[in-house]
Amino acid sequence: MAELPDTEGFAAASKHVTPETVAQQISCGPSPECHLQAIDRYVKAGYDHIILTRVGPQQDAFIDFFERHLAPALRARKAA
């Protein structure tokens, strides 16, 4: 089922999911290197477009993080 009908359904479906389990599948947190490694996996697989999203209320902080840390590193890797 791709969508859960309500918050109770989501709570039941996710009660055994830990932050550590999520971190194994999704790059998250303040480490630029963690995100760059995740992006590299897609680049090595042949992807030429990626979409980065920040789910939550701190969109401005995410954009700042991208501009300061991820964008310069990605540009440097592309130039190499």
Side-chain angles (χ1 to χ4, degrees), residues 18-39:
T18 66
E20 294 79 21
T21 304
V22 172
Q24 290 174 358
Q25 300 295 318
I26 300 171
S27 68
C28 50
S31 168
E33 194 55 40
C34 175
H35 298 293
L36 293 169
Q37 287 175 3
I39 291 166

Side-chain angles (χ1 to χ4, degrees), residues 4-79:
L4 298 169
D6 50 37
T7 57
E8 290 82 15
F10 180 83
S14 63
K15 76 178 185 178
H16 298 293
V17 179
T18 66
E20 294 79 21
T21 304
V22 172
Q24 290 174 358
Q25 300 295 318
I26 300 171
S27 68
C28 50
S31 168
E33 194 55 40
C34 175
H35 298 293
L36 293 169
Q37 287 175 3
I39 291 166
D40 280 344
R41 288 194 303 267
Y42 290 98
V43 171
K44 288 176 183 172
Y47 288 83
D48 58 5
H49 289 78
I50 59 168
I51 297 172
L52 304 176
T53 62
R54 163 64 174 106
V55 178
Q58 299 173 338
Q59 297 295 323
D60 290 338
F62 172 75
I63 292 168
D64 183 59
F65 175 78
F66 177 80
E67 289 174 344
R68 289 177 184 245
H69 301 287
L70 297 181
L74 292 169
R75 284 188 200 102
R77 289 177 180 197
K78 184 177 180 180

